[in-house]
Amino acid sequence: MTLQIREGRILVRAPQKASTAMIREFVDAHGAWIAKTIKRQSQQTVPGAADEAEQKRLRQKAKEVIRARVEYYAPKMGVTYNRIFIKEQKTRWGSCSAAGNLNFNWKLILTGEKQLDYVVVHELAHRKQMNHSPQFWREVEKVLPDYKERRRRLKEFRL
C-alpha cells in the first residue's frame, strides 16, 4: 500500500483484496507521517496570485528572471535553445521540446533562486540528453553539484 497527500487530502493506494480494516490500520500506523506531511505542505505551498494584477506582475517578473538565468547557464553548459515560454502548467515546473523550446512555470519565481536555477539547468541539460539517464544527471551535476538538495527542496512545493 502507498500513501500520498494532495491538497491536504490523503490518497491511499491498496490492492483490491485489501479490506477496509487493513487500509485503516495502514493509515493509522502512518498517522505521524501524515500529520507532518500535511503541515509541511501547508507551509511550503507555492501561493497563487491574490488577484489578476498580482499574477500579471509575477508572470512578468518570472519571464525576466528565467530568461536571464537561461542566458547565464546556456553558454556555461555549451548548449543552445530556441524559444522560452512562460506558462502555468498544472504538473510541471519546466520542460524542453525536441525543437529546443524551453517551457517554464511562472510559479518558479515563488520557489526561490536555488530551485529556479535547478529547473533551468535541468531543462538545459535536456539539450544534451533528452532523457533522465546517468549521463543526464552528470550534466546537471557539473553545473550544480548540490542539485539533489535543490531538487529535494523543490519537491516540497506544490503547483
Side-chain angles (χ1 to χ4, degrees):
M1 287 190 242
T2 63
L3 285 171
Q4 274 187 319
I5 310 295
R6 289 198 178 165
E7 297 176 15
R9 301 175 89 178
I10 302 168
L11 175 65
V12 180
R13 287 197 167 86
Q16 284 185 323
K17 295 178 183 179
S19 68
T20 303
M22 287 174 61
I23 294 169
R24 280 194 182 122
E25 184 178 317
F26 179 76
V27 171
D28 289 345
H30 292 85
W33 178 85
I34 291 168
K36 182 177 108 183
T37 302
I38 289 172
K39 181 179 179 184
R40 187 188 76 231
Q41 285 182 357
S42 69
Q43 294 169 343
Q44 295 291 323
T45 299
V46 174
D51 58 29
E52 204 171 307
E54 176 68 1
Q55 184 173 344
K56 186 176 179 180
R57 185 188 71 76
L58 288 170
R59 280 178 180 265
Q60 184 58 38
K61 182 178 177 187
K63 187 175 184 178
E64 293 165 9
V65 171
I66 291 169
R67 179 170 301 283
R69 301 315 287 160
V70 169
E71 289 172 358
Y72 172 79
Y73 281 112
K76 280 180 153 286
M77 297 175 71
V79 297
T80 60
Y81 56 92
N82 189 16
R83 295 178 63 196
I84 299 171
F85 296 96
I86 305 300
K87 300 180 177 187
E88 186 173 359
Q89 302 96 318
K90 299 278 186 218
T91 60
R92 294 178 187 258
W93 290 112
S95 63
C96 176
S97 74
N101 293 324
L102 304 173
N103 301 294
F104 296 98
N105 194 311
W106 70 267
K107 292 181 180 180
L108 270 173
I109 199 71
L110 303 170
T111 66
E113 185 179 310
K114 286 187 174 196
Q115 286 69 44
L116 187 147
D117 280 359
Y118 162 73
V119 176
V120 167
V121 169
H122 181 111
E123 299 313 329
L124 288 170
H126 282 307
R127 297 295 294 136
K128 289 187 173 184
Q129 297 285 330
M130 284 298 283
N131 54 51
H132 290 112
S133 66
Q135 294 88 354
F136 167 84
W137 292 111
R138 280 195 289 277
E139 292 296 331
V140 174
E141 191 171 32
K142 283 180 195 174
V143 181
L144 300 174
D146 66 338
Y147 82 90
K148 289 179 184 176
E149 175 61 18
R150 292 173 187 236
R151 183 175 185 222
R152 185 192 68 73
R153 289 293 316 264
L154 184 63
K155 287 180 180 184
E156 293 176 3
F157 293 90
R158 290 187 297 133
L159 287 171

